[in-house]
Amino acid sequence: MRKNLHPEYRPVVFRDASADYAFLTRSTATSAKTVEWADGNLYPVVDVDVSSASHPFYTGRGRVLDTAGRVERFNQRYGKR
């Protein structure tokens, strides 16, 4: 097998600033920024836009679409005449 082919797999902190939530996991993601974790070690940190702490599916704060209004508009346009 070829050596030095795969990226380094190491602990990385993923941080969701919108939900003020961070978690430590192992990943190959790289970052120039670091953060000190609760155990006192420095880890690379990757800022993400959406995580399970801020995604509407997991939080239950999803928007309800007006499906009845859309169906009525569709029927008005393309319904039987």
Side-chain angles (χ1 to χ4, degrees):
M1 293 186 65
R2 291 176 22 193
K3 295 185 180 203
N4 300 325
L5 179 66
H6 297 288
E8 181 185 359
Y9 189 64
R10 63 187 183 291
V12 177
V13 173
F14 287 91
R15 179 174 55 192
D16 184 357
S18 64
D20 195 29
Y21 176 70
F23 59 94
L24 178 66
T25 188
R26 294 180 54 85
S27 176
T28 60
T30 60
S31 176
K33 296 186 284 183
T34 60
V35 66
E36 185 175 350
W37 196 244
D39 62 3
N41 294 326
L42 285 177
Y43 296 107
V45 63
V46 176
D47 291 321
V48 293
D49 294 328
V50 177
S51 70
S52 61
S54 63
H55 194 280
F57 179 79
Y58 296 106
T59 60
R61 292 181 292 170
R63 295 185 311 228
V64 176
L65 297 175
D66 180 24
T67 55
R70 290 181 182 200
V71 171
E72 290 171 6
R73 268 187 268 136
F74 177 84
N75 286 335
Q76 286 177 354
R77 273 191 192 164
Y78 305 108
K80 292 183 180 180
R81 296 176 187 207

